[in-house]
Amino acid sequence: MRFTVARRMTPPTHGVRARFRLSVERPSLAAAVVSADGFLAHAKRLARSGHLAFRLRSYRSFRREIYAPGPHAPPPRTVYVVAARFDLRGPTAGAAAPLVGRLARRAFLLSFQNVPALDQAAREKLGRRLERRVLARVRRDAVRDCRLLGDHGALVHRLTLNRSFPPPLPPRPIFAQALAARVSPPPVATARARLTVRASVSVWCSRAPPPGS
């Protein structure tokens, strides 16, 4: 008996990333922190409701002295600044674009890009995982089919694996330059790749159960 099992896997498409820079300037440190924390908490809630991943990359506060030019300049003014960077990730740019546009009204949108669906390491990892699934399915089907023929033993005599992987996709930035705060990015399609692993197996069925069973 000879049969072939084919399994296909589509990798996760969490490959759309929007990166922001937030800068809040207030007359006191407490006011700056409250304003920044409130915006970041709001962004996190919006991301959760839109099934997007929110990640705060950096957060710092500092004091800045502002000097006004001119012959009769007023005394320098002290302000407190909270600077933060955060990312949003989503399954498709079409799903992320509306929220990116809303948040960009207050935060500076640095980039909105579609990272590659698969790099070489990810392809190999998925390939090994897929091979294990195919091998388990092949052996399970071999035992089942032999028992359907009335035999108790099933021995995999020869097994051949063929992997068909697409070439890795290069990163494709949607916006190469930094964007002004009120620019809303257009939706784009997320790249998807299909992986296929085929197993061709020759099985010997026997009346007697295999040794050690």
Side-chain angles (χ1 to χ4, degrees), residues 113-166:
Q113 63 184 19
N114 185 3
V115 290
L118 284 176
D119 56 17
Q120 183 66 27
R123 287 173 43 189
E124 292 299 326
K125 183 178 180 180
L126 284 174
R128 290 191 296 269
R129 185 186 307 167
L130 190 55
E131 283 181 0
R132 289 196 296 269
R133 291 186 181 182
V134 171
L135 290 175
R137 173 67 185 273
V138 164
R139 293 191 175 98
R140 187 167 62 247
D141 287 352
V143 173
R144 182 201 63 188
D145 291 348
C146 286
R147 287 179 177 173
L148 289 176
L149 295 174
D151 295 333
H152 299 286
L155 177 64
V156 176
H157 174 59
R158 183 182 295 110
L159 179 63
T160 304
L161 283 173
N162 297 314
R163 293 198 294 175
S164 175
F165 287 2

Side-chain angles (χ1 to χ4, degrees), residues 43-63:
K44 191 173 184 179
R45 286 194 301 269
L46 289 177
R48 189 183 300 115
S49 64
H51 305 288
L52 303 175
F54 175 91
R55 179 186 178 190
L56 182 64
R57 301 182 63 87
S58 65
Y59 186 101
R60 66 190 183 98
S61 61
F62 54 92
R63 187 174 64 180

